Amino acid sequence: MIDLTLIWAGIIAFAVGAYVVMDGFDLGIGILFPAFRVGGERDMAMNSIAPVWDGNETWLVLGGGGLLAAFPLAYAIVLPALYAPLTAMLLGLVFRGVAFEFRWRDPGHRAFWDAAFCGGSALATFAQGITLGALLQGIEVSGRAYAGGWWDWLTPFSLLTGVSLMIGYALLGAGWLIWKTHGAIQTDARRFARPLLIALIVAIGLVSAYTPFLENKYYQRWIEWPGLVLTAPVPLLVAATGLLLWRSIDDPRDHRPFWLTLALFGLSMMGLAISIYPDVIPGRVSIWEAAAPERSQIFMLVGAAVLVPVILGYTIWAYWVFRGKVDEAGYH
Amino acid sequence: MLDAFDAVTLARIQFAFTVSFHFIFPSFSIGLASYLMVLEALFLKTGRSVYENLYRYWLKIFAIAFAMGVVSGIVMSYQFGTNWSVFSDRAGPIIGPLMAYEVLTAFFLEAGFLGVMLFGINKVGRGLHFAATCAVAVGTFISAFWILSVNSWMQTPVGYEIAANGQFVPGPSWLAIIFNPSFPYRLLHTVIAAYLTTSLVVGAVGAWHLLRDRNNRGARTMFSMAMWMAALVAPVQILVGDAHGLNTLEHQPAKVMAMEGHYQSHPDGAPLILFGIPNSAEKRVDYAVEVPKLSSLILKHDPNAPLAGLDTIPDDEEPPVGIVFWSFRIMVGLGFAIFGLGLFSLVARACRKMYDWPLLHRLAIVLGPSGFVTVIAGWVTTEVGRQPYTIYRLLRTSESASPLAAPAVAGSLIAFIIVYFAVFGVGVWYILKLMGKTPQRGESPQAVDHGPIRSAGITPAPAVEADRGEGERP
């Protein structure tokens, strides 16, 4: 018998992964924005993502909406538990989203909308990182509801994951700009990539070292024999990818730093999955406990099986339309 | 006094505030996306540059409205969970899949092709670009389809079963859930409202520029198109609204009682209360101005038909009458004003004074924002009218909210109010600035003439006007 719940866990994980892969680099460009020179450099950075950011962000809606549809209990527990960081994320995304239009419409206040673009991107990213950390460290559940306090999400660990994600997205943004631009801004992006990479490896190391001590189950998975045999390749692969990425920064094949950074994200997400599987709220609620009834799962699966490939198809097409290097004057 | 602001009340205010703000933008962009599609189709068919210029003119406005709709919509998609988690847990197996379909069939379509629509004209060719415009327009409609299905199911729930854990779970037929009894009426009424809202805005902008230069070609064309829309669609909307009202009477009678201000039952024909002040404490409408038997005539098509009042339902199931009573009157009153504008434009057309009758143009300007007011008033009527329930007669609003402390909800409410007024206020200001510029030949893709070119590919039209006939075409 096919386990629909497992399939749905896979689809939600895919949606969240697609979100991180796609919105990650454009949020990263927002985080790096103040480092670029006012004028041509900033315009070029903005132009490189203007046609695709909206589609990228839609994966966040699918992640949230999919969670409500497939795992309503998890949705109902997690969102109130993370009320403050999620509200901050939404407000950050509001500022950032409108900045794409507003900064071109009002040259007199462009500095303000540049700041809104950067601040909104940074706030949204930081909040997403905190959300991840708060989930990993555990959420108080009683019955079918959140039972913890209003500030439970705020811990040194969640602040660490928040900062880590900002570094990671910034590196993705630098990789994207190395790929999509040329000239001074590309040189700047290469220059930013090195310290960001070092910071990211340190951050991954700190989060990985901290995680096993949050929950007994994580400890068993990562440290104790025989879990160690299965999990040891992950940090080794992280180290190898980091090394390749370091060397690719000066590589004339401009697309490499971006893809290698994505590989680092992929490995981190794999590590995350090793820690929490098969829970949707780590240590509290499994995917089967939170799952929607079968009729809901089947109804959505029919649609998702047809529509997700179609969506991926026209998304790839849209990226293909805007392939190649961008310049100050946008796409021609 | 402050005790009134418990967490549930604050969550309700927050939802009402964010959803009302949000809905302003889709109710505009649904219609505007279709208008852009029509303009581009007309340009491709006729080659007349006036259509291309208008396309570019409105595309800039669409981009801003759409961006504000997107970001405020993302907030809505998370608010179900943050503020209404018990509702999300209980109703998630039914409304979750419908909203997931909205994301899969509409949001991705709109977002994916919007980039091509805004920035891709020289990269994909005119035909594909038109396809992108169509995809965005169709996406806005599909989105309306699903979200209205969700809303209608909450108003007229059918096709559900109740599981052991208290969840509403789907019965054997999803079609019964999607096409629930009030859905067709609600969808039609809302989409037509969106088209009317857009045509009133387009008409007002056209009228504004006609008052300044009655020979401006773009202003003439947009004004004429918008007035056709108002003249033809406003009467249809009145008929659809009437049918929707009858449907509501059948499925949500208490809402109609509140709309009509019928505290008492009328066994031998109910009057239509035109105006008055509903007094829920005394269960009557003070200072009522009423027409005898008319309410029965409208609702039952028989002046002597008996009509039940709010005295037939328990007090704790009574919706807030005052709000519903007045929002309904605002909606209907403005609806007839819009209808009147449409008739006026037909008269002007018949007299060949479409472009030089300043009274008509001034009236169109005055009524320019009335679509938004009407739409919000209509939503207030339907949403407040179904209180005290989130899922009609099955789940109370007071039992739907997240287990949150009032200060948390109050804090986020204040943040949303400040941010929304600041950000969207500025956005509306930019839109008004764009609308204030006269539509030109060879309309530039740029709102500003200096600064970096965000050309995104839309290059200015050839200097030579392809349009031969500059003559009159009323």
Side-chain angles (χ1 to χ4, degrees):
Chain A
M1 184 60 201
I2 304 166
D3 188 343
L4 284 169
T5 300
L6 210 52
I7 294 175
W8 270 105
I11 293 174
I12 305 294
F14 176 80
V16 173
Y19 173 73
V20 170
V21 165
M22 291 199 231
D23 215 26
F25 71 81
D26 59 45
L27 283 166
I29 285 168
I31 295 168
L32 290 175
F33 215 59
F36 300 124
R37 272 180 282 274
V38 175
E41 279 200 18
R42 290 190 178 185
D43 297 343
M44 218 189 287
M46 204 84 168
N47 278 331
S48 77
I49 50 174
V52 292
W53 75 272
D54 191 1
N56 297 345
E57 208 164 278
T58 307
W59 292 93
L60 180 69
V61 184
L62 183 62
L67 190 69
L68 167 62
F71 303 101
L73 178 61
Y75 184 84
I77 294 171
V78 170
L79 270 71
L82 296 167
Y83 194 80
L86 287 176
T87 303
M89 174 188 84
L90 294 170
L91 293 172
L93 291 176
V94 166
F95 273 107
R96 167 178 179 274
V98 297
F100 277 96
E101 282 302 321
F102 291 1
R103 89 181 284 274
W104 302 106
R105 301 287 162 217
D106 186 6
H109 296 95
R110 186 163 295 153
F112 176 81
W113 292 114
D114 283 2
F117 178 59
C118 172
S121 302
L123 179 63
T125 305
F126 189 53
Q128 286 172 12
I130 283 181
T131 297
L132 173 68
L135 272 178
L136 267 176
Q137 75 198 7
I139 286 174
E140 287 293 320
V141 180
S142 161
R144 298 181 73 81
Y146 174 58
W150 162 232
W151 291 100
D152 282 11
W153 51 272
L154 185 65
T155 62
F157 180 72
S158 67
L159 293 176
L160 173 64
T161 50
V163 173
S164 303
L165 196 68
M166 287 175 74
I167 297 167
Y169 281 179
L171 182 58
L172 263 181
W176 173 260
L177 289 177
I178 292 172
W179 184 11
K180 297 292 283 185
T181 63
H182 52 77
I185 186 172
Q186 193 195 35
T187 312
D188 278 348
R190 287 190 205 278
R191 201 155 46 79
F192 302 147
R194 290 187 195 285
L196 284 171
L197 174 57
I198 295 169
L200 182 62
I201 295 292
V202 170
I204 291 176
L206 285 175
V207 173
S208 307
Y210 206 139
T211 304
F213 302 98
L214 289 169
E215 279 266 342
N216 195 29
K217 196 181 84 181
Y218 302 160
Y219 187 84
Q220 287 170 357
R221 290 253 165 103
W222 285 98
I223 310 283
E224 280 179 8
W225 194 264
L228 184 64
V229 182
L230 296 170
T231 54
V234 178
L236 292 178
L237 282 171
V238 168
T241 311
L243 203 63
L244 275 176
L245 177 50
W246 180 265
R247 287 164 55 179
S248 78
I249 289 171
D250 285 325
D251 196 309
R253 287 168 292 179
D254 292 339
H255 58 89
R256 289 184 51 124
F258 179 71
W259 293 108
L260 285 164
T261 310
L262 277 189
L264 274 184
F265 267 88
L267 287 167
S268 302
M269 284 190 262
M270 200 186 294
L272 194 63
I274 290 173
S275 295
I276 65 173
Y277 178 84
D279 291 346
V280 60
I281 298 177
R284 302 293 190 282
V285 182
S286 79
I287 53 175
W288 294 283
E289 287 164 337
E294 196 178 271
R295 278 179 184 151
S296 300
Q297 292 180 328
I298 290 175
F299 173 62
M300 281 190 296
L301 193 60
V302 173
V306 176
L307 292 165
V308 171
V310 173
I311 290 164
L312 289 174
Y314 61 66
T315 302
I316 291 167
W317 175 73
Y319 273 85
W320 174 252
V321 167
F322 299 102
R323 66 193 176 277
K325 301 273 184 188
V326 68
D327 61 30
E328 286 169 44
Y331 288 93
H332 293 288
Chain B
M1 180 65 206
L2 278 173
D3 292 346
F5 291 99
D6 56 18
V8 178
T9 308
L10 288 164
R12 290 176 66 178
I13 295 171
Q14 181 166 332
F15 198 88
F17 175 77
T18 49
V19 81
S20 302
F21 237 98
H22 166 67
F23 197 72
I24 288 171
F25 302 110
S27 67
F28 183 42
S29 56
I30 290 171
L32 198 51
S34 295
Y35 184 53
L36 287 168
M37 182 172 77
V38 169
L39 286 173
E40 195 169 15
L42 286 171
F43 171 68
L44 290 178
K45 193 164 178 289
T46 65
R48 287 158 57 99
S49 62
V50 63
Y51 294 123
E52 193 184 25
N53 294 335
L54 282 181
Y55 181 88
R56 286 177 180 152
Y57 183 85
W58 284 103
L59 184 63
K60 288 173 247 171
I61 292 164
F62 178 75
I64 296 181
F66 193 88
M68 292 194 283
V70 166
V71 295
S72 58
I74 292 175
V75 172
M76 296 316 303
S77 75
Y78 277 80
Q79 209 158 59
F80 282 100
T82 48
N83 284 340
W84 302 99
S85 66
V86 178
F87 166 77
S88 296
D89 177 32
R90 301 273 308 268
I94 287 183
I95 63 158
L98 302 181
M99 292 201 282
Y101 266 97
E102 184 186 15
V103 182
L104 290 170
T105 57
F107 291 171
F108 278 112
L109 195 68
E110 295 170 51
F113 286 94
L114 182 75
V116 178
M117 186 179 171
L118 293 179
F119 306 102
I121 200 157
N122 287 354
K123 303 192 75 91
V124 296
R126 200 80 216 203
L128 259 181
H129 186 265
F130 178 57
T133 306
C134 293
V136 173
V138 171
T140 61
F141 179 79
I142 298 174
S143 179
F145 177 95
W146 289 110
I147 202 66
L148 279 156
S149 178
V150 170
N151 181 267
S152 300
W153 184 83
M154 289 161 64
Q155 306 259 6
T156 53
V158 291
Y160 62 90
E161 292 162 6
I162 296 182
N165 59 17
Q167 281 182 324
F168 295 88
V169 300
S173 168
W174 273 98
L175 288 180
I177 293 169
I178 296 168
F179 295 96
N180 58 76
S182 65
F183 170 61
Y185 301 93
R186 241 175 258 283
L187 177 67
L188 215 54
H189 202 43
T190 308
V191 170
I192 293 176
Y195 283 148
L196 271 176
T197 299
T198 306
S199 72
L200 288 163
V201 174
V202 173
V205 172
W208 177 264
H209 294 295
L210 282 176
L211 283 176
R212 268 141 203 79
D213 170 16
R214 66 177 61 167
N215 291 314
N216 184 288
R217 185 114 196 91
R220 285 176 167 231
T221 305
M222 71 170 107
F223 185 67
S224 173
M225 290 173 86
M227 287 303 111
W228 272 125
M229 191 78 186
L232 298 177
V233 174
V236 174
Q237 179 71 321
I238 290 171
L239 295 177
V240 171
D242 179 55
H244 184 26
L246 296 181
N247 177 269
T248 306
L249 180 65
E250 187 184 340
H251 296 280
Q252 298 177 296
K255 185 189 287 184
V256 177
M257 294 170 198
M259 282 155 61
E260 301 278 321
H262 289 161
Y263 283 107
Q264 314 301 334
S265 297
H266 296 273
D268 47 2
L272 182 73
I273 303 174
L274 292 174
F275 296 104
I277 299 170
N279 183 339
S280 281
E282 310 261 326
K283 303 272 178 205
R284 61 187 159 85
V285 179
D286 295 336
Y287 312 109
V289 179
E290 49 185 49
V291 183
K293 312 271 188 194
L294 189 55
S295 188
S296 284
L297 185 65
I298 292 171
L299 291 168
K300 301 268 178 152
H301 297 171
D302 169 6
N304 295 313
L307 213 57
L310 290 164
D311 51 1
T312 58
I313 60 168
D315 276 0
D316 68 343
E317 289 177 24
E318 185 178 301
V321 180
I323 298 172
V324 180
F325 182 87
W326 274 106
S327 62
F328 178 65
R329 268 147 196 77
I330 292 170
M331 175 185 78
V332 172
L334 281 174
F336 276 99
I338 294 163
F339 177 61
L341 175 68
L343 287 181
F344 189 0
S345 80
L346 289 178
V347 172
R349 229 182 266 276
C351 302
R352 302 201 160 271
K353 291 182 74 176
M354 191 68 181
Y355 306 117
D356 34 28
W357 196 340
L359 184 63
L360 173 64
H361 304 156
R362 292 211 178 92
L363 185 65
I365 293 167
V366 169
L367 285 178
S370 65
F372 297 109
V373 180
T374 316
V375 162
I376 297 293
W379 276 106
V380 168
T381 305
T382 203
E383 295 303 295
V384 178
R386 57 112 164 242
Q387 297 304 325
Y389 298 102
T390 44
I391 303 175
Y392 196 60
R393 295 221 164 133
L394 297 171
L395 185 67
R396 281 181 177 263
T397 310
S398 57
E399 296 159 354
S400 303
S402 300
L404 290 164
V409 192
S412 66
L413 173 61
I414 292 166
F416 276 115
I417 290 175
I418 293 172
V419 168
Y420 273 34
F421 272 109
V423 169
F424 299 136
V426 169
V428 170
W429 170 247
Y430 291 155
I431 285 179
L432 289 174
K433 254 174 59 180
L434 285 174
M435 288 174 171
K437 288 181 194 283
T438 314
Q440 301 293 339
R441 285 188 209 175
E443 182 71 31
S444 141
Q446 279 301 301
V448 287
D449 301 320
H450 46 90
I453 303 165
R454 184 230 190 164
S455 66
I458 301 175
T459 48
V464 182
E465 185 92 358
D467 206 358
R468 277 172 294 117
E470 282 285 302
E472 301 302 297
R473 268 190 49 166

